[in-house]
Amino acid sequence: MATTPSVLKPDHGSSRKHFIFTEEHDQLRESIHRFVVAELAPHAEEWEQTTFPDSVIHRMGELGFLGLSMPEAYGGQGGDYFCNLVLAEEMSYSRCGGLTMGVAVHTDMAMPPIHLFGTEEQKQEWLVPAIKGEKILCLGITEPDAGSDVAGIKTRAVYDEANDEYVINGSKTFITNGHRADVIVLVTKTDPDAGHGGITLFLVPMDLPGVIREKKLEKLGMHASDTALLAFQDVRVPASAMLGEKGKGFYHISWELQGERLIGAAGSVAGAQRVFEQTLKYAQERQAFGRPIGNFQVIRHKFAEMATKIETARQMVYTTAWRFNNGEYPVREISIAKLYASRIGCEVADEAIQIHGGAGYMKEYGVERAWRDTRLNRIGAGTDEIMLEVIGRSYGL
Amino acid sequence: VSSVLPTPSERRLLPPFTDEHEQLRESIRRFIVNEVAPHAQEWEDARWFPDELFGEFARHGFLGLKYPTEYGGQGGDHLHEAILCEELVHAQSGGVGAGIGAHINIATPPVFKFGTEDQKQRYLVPAIAGKKIAALGITEPDAGSDVASIRTLAKKVDGGYVVNGSKMFITNGVRADFVVMAVKTTGEGGHHGISFLIVDTDQPGYSASKIEKLGWHASDTALISLEDVVVPEENLLGEENQGFYLIMANFQWERLIMALGAVAAMQRCFDVTLKYALERKAFGREIGHFQVIRHKFAEMAVTIETARAMTYHALRLFHEGTDAVREVTMAKLATQRAAFDVADECLQIHGGNGYMVEYGIERAARDLRLGPIGGGTDEIMKEILGKTMGL
C-alpha cells in the first residue's frame, strides 16, 4: 500500500527502468550520450551545410559504437539488439538527422546482411573494417523507377561463365552514404522473369570501373547526409561477390528491413522526445500575457497529448524490440511501431514549431530542421502506406 | 524462405503476464462466454442484470481475486484482477462490466485498504461472497471532476453522523447494500473537509432512482438522495477529513482497469469485424480485400497494439509499486477515445448491419463512449499530465 505522501504528492521524477534494459545498457547510454553531446552536436549546424565528415564514422568505430551487437570475433561488442536501440536513441541528441541516418545506414541497414548472409571471406573483407569505421557501407535497393515495389527493380546482374563473373548494369537512387561509401550492398535481378525469386544481392566495391556516382541529391531535410544517384555500367564483379543465395535476395532484404524499421522507429521516438524537451523548456521561459506560455491550459494540453503519444510510441518500440531480441519475427508489430513512431514524430515536430511561434519558423531554434528531417521517416524504409499494407495483410486481408 | 532466414522463435506473452496467468484467463473466459454473454441482450432490454450475477461471480471466486483468503478472497494480486477486467469484455455488455467492475475495482478497495477489521468483516467479506453489493459514491449533481466542491454534508451527532445531500451517476446505486460515500464533514476546507462513510442503503432517508443512459444499459446507474440518513460512527472509513486521500489512493487502479478494459474491448470489436469483413461480399469479393478496408483494419491494429503497449507498461510499473501516475494517466488518455474510435470504425465496416442491434457493434460503440468521461475525463487526464511536467 502506498503511503500518504506518495499518493497525494507522487514522485513523478522517480526512476523507472524498462524491463528490456540492464545496468550495462544504462552505462552504454551514458557514454554514447556524452560522446554525441560533446563531439557531434556542436557541429550540427556546420554539417548541415557541408554534410558530415567521414571522420565521424572512423571516430565511432574507434569508440566501439559501430558494432555494438556484432560478435567480438569480428571486432564487435557482442551486445544484444537493445544496444543498437540505445545508439539510435542517443544519436538524436546530435540534433542532426542526416548524421543519424548516415550512421544508421552503416550500422543497421548495410551491416546486418553482411553479418548474417556473408561468407567468412566477405566478413573479413567488409564487416571487420566496417565495424572499425575504416570502411563505410551503403545499401542500394531503390531505383528511379522502383521504390516500394522492390520486385520492379531493373538493375541486372548477368553471369559471364567464361570469367566466373557477374556483369552489372542499372541505376540506384536515394542512396544514403552513396558518395562516401567504400562498398554497396546492391540489390539486382539475376532472373528478370522470376519476380521476387529473381533477386540477388552483391557486395560491389564502389571504386570499380563503371560505378558512377552521378550527383548529390538535394533534399527537404537530412542535409547533413549524402544522398546519391548511382549508375552501374558494365561493372564486373567476381561470382564470389554474391551476398547470400542466388535468387534469395528479396528475402534477405525483407529480413534486413525489419531490423532497420525498428531502429528507425526508435530514432523517431527519440527525436520527438528531444524536440519535446526543448519545446517544454521554451514554453516555461517564454512569457506572453504576463505568464509563461506553458501555463496556458491549451498549451498545457498540447504537451500532455505530445507526451502521451511519445510514451505510447516508445512502449510500442520497446515491446517489439523485446520480441525481436527474443528471436521472434514480429513483422506486424514492427510495421506498427515504425508507422506510429514516424507519424507521431512528425506531429510532435509540427506542434513544437507551433508552440515556438515565429521563432519555430526560424532556423536558429533548430525546430524547423527537426520538422524537415523527421518528415522522411514516413517515407523511408517503407512508406506509411506500405506499412498499412503489411499490417493489413498480416490479418489475411 | 526458411532456408535463408533464421527460424523465428515462438511468440511469448507480453510482460507482466506469464503462462501461469493463462489458466485463469481461460477459466474466466469460459465462464463469461458461456454463462454471461448469452444473456447480454436480454439484460440490455431489461435495463438491468439480475443481482444473482454477483453470486455467480462469487461462486467462481471472481469477486475476490486480489483479496486475501482470510476474507474469502483468492489471495491473488492486481494482475489476476487485471485479467478478469480484460475478459469481462466478452460479456458483450458494458453495463455488466460496469456493475461488476464498480463492485470489485472501486467500491471494495477502500474498505480493504482503510477499513477497520470490523468493517472488513461486515462489508468486505460479504461483498467478496457476493452477498452484499457495493457502490462508490463521489460524484454529485453539481460536482463531477471538481471533487472538492461536493456538498453532501455529514453532520456529527452523538454516536455518528446525519447525512443530507445527493449523489449522481452511481453505478449499482439502486441495488447496492452499502455505498462507500464521500461526504463533507466540515463546511470549509475544500479537499481537507472530505470524509468517507459506509452508508447502509436500508437506512430511512436513503432513496435511489435509476437514470437512463446512452449506453451501459444493463447497468444500474442511480441518482441517490439522502435525507437525514443516520450513519453510526463505526462506519467512518479511514480518518475524518482525510477522505480526499482515499479518493486519490484508488484512482490509479481504477484508471488502469479502464485502460485494460478499453484495449480488450477494442480487440474484441476488431476480431468480430475482421471475421465479418472476410465473409461479407460486395462487388464480387470479400470487403476485407478492398484496399481501403484493409487499411482501416491496419489503422485499428496500430491503435490497439500501441494502446496495449502503453497500458501494459503502466500496469508493470503499478504492479512493481512505482509511482506511476504519469504512465497510468497516459494509458487512460491513450485508450478511451481510441476505443470509441475503433468501435465506430467497426460499425462503419459493418455498414447497415452495424447500425442494427443484432450485431452488437452499435452497443459496443455506445458503451465505449463513456470511456473518455468516466474515471476522470480526457481533459482532466491532460491537466494531470500537464502538472507532472510542471505546467
Side-chain angles (χ1 to χ4, degrees):
Chain A
M1 184 183 122
T3 55
T4 305
S6 114
V7 167
L8 293 180
K9 285 201 172 22
D11 178 8
H12 301 305
S14 67
S15 70
R16 54 254 287 135
K17 192 190 270 304
H18 197 275
F19 71 90
I20 65 172
F21 293 122
T22 63
E23 299 275 320
E24 286 83 64
H25 293 119
D26 292 349
Q27 285 161 13
L28 175 68
R29 185 183 294 283
E30 253 173 64
S31 84
I32 297 175
H33 188 85
R34 256 197 320 272
F35 161 74
V36 169
V37 169
E39 298 188 33
L40 303 181
H43 303 287
E45 201 52 60
E46 171 196 342
W47 293 342
E48 282 292 292
Q49 312 299 327
T50 60
T51 73
F52 72 88
D54 294 355
S55 58
V56 171
I57 301 269
H58 304 156
R59 175 74 177 134
M60 288 184 71
E62 261 171 36
L63 293 169
F65 294 157
L66 299 180
L68 293 171
S69 62
M70 290 290 152
E72 289 170 36
Y74 300 107
Q77 307 298 309
D80 54 20
Y81 182 74
F82 306 134
C83 296
N84 295 38
L85 215 61
V86 170
L87 175 67
E89 290 183 332
E90 293 312 312
M91 282 299 284
S92 73
Y93 288 92
S94 71
R95 308 175 53 143
C96 189
L99 166 64
T100 303
M101 180 167 71
V103 172
V105 163
H106 180 84
T107 55
D108 289 281
M109 286 178 67
M111 200 183 281
I114 304 178
H115 166 236
L116 205 74
F117 309 115
T119 61
E120 186 56 34
E121 205 183 358
Q122 288 169 336
K123 288 183 198 174
Q124 292 299 338
E125 188 177 2
W126 300 114
L127 183 62
V128 171
I131 290 172
K132 279 190 190 151
E134 290 167 358
K135 293 257 163 80
I136 299 176
L137 313 174
C138 69
L139 175 67
I141 306 177
T142 299
E143 300 185 356
D145 292 325
S148 298
D149 181 11
V150 176
I153 63 164
K154 295 199 183 88
T155 297
R156 285 289 315 269
V158 179
Y159 187 52
D160 170 8
E161 208 172 344
N163 299 301
D164 193 26
E165 286 179 341
Y166 280 87
V167 183
I168 299 172
N169 278 286
S171 62
K172 295 285 171 186
T173 194
F174 309 151
I175 307 305
T176 300
N177 293 348
H179 285 274
R180 64 175 91 235
D182 297 289
V183 68
I184 185 168
V185 175
L186 190 67
V187 183
T188 70
K189 280 225 163 148
T190 40
D191 182 354
D193 301 323
H196 287 143
I199 293 174
T200 304
L201 308 183
F202 287 92
L203 279 161
V204 181
M206 293 292 283
D207 55 3
L208 286 185
V211 178
I212 301 156
R213 308 182 202 226
E214 293 219 15
K215 61 174 172 183
K216 282 198 178 170
L217 299 168
E218 294 288 323
K219 309 178 293 293
L220 167 69
M222 299 290 198
H223 289 171
S225 92
D226 90 63
T227 307
L229 171 63
L230 303 173
F232 299 85
Q233 292 177 356
D234 293 326
V235 178
R236 303 187 77 90
V237 292
S240 63
M242 185 185 292
L243 180 62
E245 290 178 43
K246 187 176 175 187
K248 298 290 166 76
F250 180 77
Y251 304 103
H252 294 333
I253 283 300
S254 300
W255 180 88
E256 176 278 329
L257 275 171
Q258 300 309 319
E260 174 196 345
R261 284 174 182 160
L262 198 45
I263 288 296
S268 295
V269 176
Q273 176 70 36
R274 198 199 61 70
V275 171
F276 175 89
E277 287 166 9
Q278 183 185 340
T279 308
L280 181 59
K281 191 160 171 287
Y282 180 84
Q284 285 167 329
E285 287 166 0
R286 172 77 183 181
Q287 302 267 333
F289 307 103
R291 50 178 161 161
I293 60 169
N295 290 346
F296 285 96
Q297 192 173 35
V298 75
I299 303 289
R300 180 158 68 238
H301 283 205
K302 281 181 194 289
F303 279 103
E305 284 167 12
M306 286 192 283
T308 302
K309 284 177 187 172
I310 294 169
E311 192 59 51
T312 300
R314 181 182 292 125
Q315 293 310 322
M316 187 68 218
V317 170
Y318 284 179
T319 296
T320 307
W322 174 75
R323 293 198 180 284
F324 197 63
N325 192 62
N326 286 346
E328 295 177 30
Y329 191 56
V331 174
R332 176 192 295 165
E333 284 86 353
I334 287 173
S335 307
I336 289 173
K338 196 274 184 187
L339 174 68
Y340 186 75
S342 307
R343 275 185 182 164
I344 68 106
C346 290
E347 289 165 13
V348 167
D350 194 63
E351 195 71 291
I353 289 185
Q354 192 66 24
I355 292 170
H356 275 81
Y361 204 73
M362 299 299 125
K363 215 170 169 186
E364 183 189 344
Y365 285 78
V367 182
E368 62 88 32
R369 182 162 84 225
W371 182 90
R372 285 186 287 104
D373 288 352
T374 200
R375 184 62 182 83
L376 178 64
N377 295 333
R378 293 184 50 207
I379 299 170
T383 61
D384 284 6
E385 293 70 24
I386 290 291
M387 292 304 98
L388 290 168
E389 282 294 301
V390 172
I391 298 161
R393 286 179 196 282
S394 78
Y395 291 101
L397 295 172
Chain B
V1 180
S2 58
S3 70
V4 290
L5 288 178
T7 315
S9 32
E10 233 167 89
R11 262 181 95 77
R12 287 210 237 158
L13 287 176
L14 219 49
F17 296 112
T18 62
D19 292 332
E20 175 243 328
H21 294 109
E22 282 307 271
Q23 219 178 340
L24 176 66
R25 187 181 293 283
E26 272 166 38
S27 82
I28 295 175
R29 174 85 62 103
R30 239 192 337 269
F31 166 69
I32 302 272
V33 168
N34 295 332
E35 314 284 328
V36 183
H39 305 287
Q41 190 58 54
E42 174 195 337
W43 296 341
E44 286 285 306
D45 293 341
R47 298 294 191 268
W48 192 264
F49 67 84
D51 291 357
E52 291 73 42
L53 192 61
F54 286 93
E56 289 289 317
F57 271 79
R59 257 189 293 289
H60 288 83
F62 296 157
L63 297 186
L65 285 172
K66 67 177 184 296
Y67 294 127
T69 50
E70 55 186 297
Y71 299 114
Q74 302 298 306
D77 56 33
H78 283 101
L79 297 185
H80 298 99
E81 194 150 292
I83 292 169
L84 172 62
C85 294
E86 290 184 324
E87 294 306 316
L88 266 174
V89 304
H90 294 284
Q92 301 185 39
S93 167
V96 168
I100 300 292
H103 183 86
I104 61 176
N105 290 319
I106 59 177
T108 54
V111 181
F112 172 63
K113 269 193 194 170
F114 303 103
T116 60
E117 189 54 36
D118 166 61
Q119 288 168 342
K120 288 181 194 172
Q121 292 301 335
R122 285 191 293 133
Y123 295 103
L124 183 64
V125 169
I128 291 172
K131 290 178 180 149
K132 277 192 179 174
I133 299 173
L136 178 74
I138 299 178
T139 298
E140 299 186 357
D142 293 323
S145 298
D146 181 10
V147 175
S149 66
I150 63 166
R151 287 198 296 221
T152 295
L153 191 67
K155 201 172 157 221
K156 193 108 182 228
V157 294
D158 197 25
Y161 302 86
V162 174
V163 183
N164 279 285
S166 56
K167 292 288 169 183
M168 187 72 151
F169 309 149
I170 306 306
T171 300
N172 295 344
V174 174
R175 67 170 102 224
D177 295 290
F178 66 94
V179 180
V180 176
M181 192 179 289
V183 295
K184 293 286 281 190
T185 31
T186 69
E188 77 284 349
H191 288 159
H192 302 296
I194 297 173
S195 304
F196 264 86
L197 298 176
I198 305 176
V199 179
D200 286 310
T201 58
D202 57 5
Q203 287 292 309
Y206 180 100
S207 62
S209 55
K210 279 187 68 183
I211 308 172
E212 291 293 319
K213 307 177 295 293
L214 170 69
W216 281 23
H217 285 171
S219 122
D220 145 25
T221 305
L223 168 62
I224 295 172
S225 154
L226 303 121
E227 284 175 45
D228 293 329
V229 175
V230 176
V231 177
E233 66 188 356
E234 61 266 27
N235 276 22
L236 171 69
L237 185 60
E239 287 174 50
E240 203 170 74
N241 297 331
Q242 298 297 311
F244 190 68
Y245 169 55
L246 261 79
I247 297 176
M248 299 298 287
N250 199 52
F251 259 158
Q252 301 314 312
W253 180 240
E254 179 183 0
R255 288 171 184 164
L256 200 41
I257 281 299
M258 288 186 71
L260 287 160
V263 174
M266 285 190 257
Q267 185 69 61
R268 198 191 69 78
C269 288
F270 180 94
D271 292 343
V272 168
T273 308
L274 181 62
K275 189 161 173 290
Y276 180 84
L278 286 170
E279 286 166 1
R280 171 79 183 182
K281 288 198 171 153
F283 306 104
R285 52 178 159 161
E286 294 79 17
I287 61 169
H289 289 133
F290 286 96
Q291 191 174 35
V292 77
I293 303 290
R294 179 158 67 240
H295 282 208
K296 280 182 194 288
F297 278 103
E299 295 281 4
M300 289 193 284
V302 170
T303 303
I304 296 168
E305 292 305 328
T306 54
R308 192 193 324 273
M310 183 68 231
T311 300
Y312 279 13
H313 177 56
L315 177 62
R316 286 189 299 267
L317 291 177
F318 179 88
H319 185 59
E320 289 161 9
T322 307
D323 270 344
V325 172
R326 192 172 156 271
E327 287 80 0
V328 169
T329 308
M330 286 177 169
K332 171 142 194 315
L333 181 60
T335 51
Q336 304 303 311
R337 174 64 66 174
F340 171 73
D341 288 345
V342 164
D344 193 53
E345 191 70 295
C346 288
L347 196 155
Q348 187 68 21
I349 294 170
H350 273 81
N353 285 328
Y355 204 72
M356 298 299 127
V357 168
E358 184 189 342
Y359 282 78
I361 293 292
E362 58 87 34
R363 186 196 304 159
R366 283 187 289 103
D367 287 352
L368 288 168
R369 185 58 186 85
L370 182 69
I373 300 171
T377 62
D378 279 5
E379 292 71 22
I380 290 291
M381 294 306 104
K382 291 178 197 173
E383 285 291 294
I384 293 170
L385 287 174
K387 287 205 182 85
T388 69
M389 293 179 255
L391 295 176

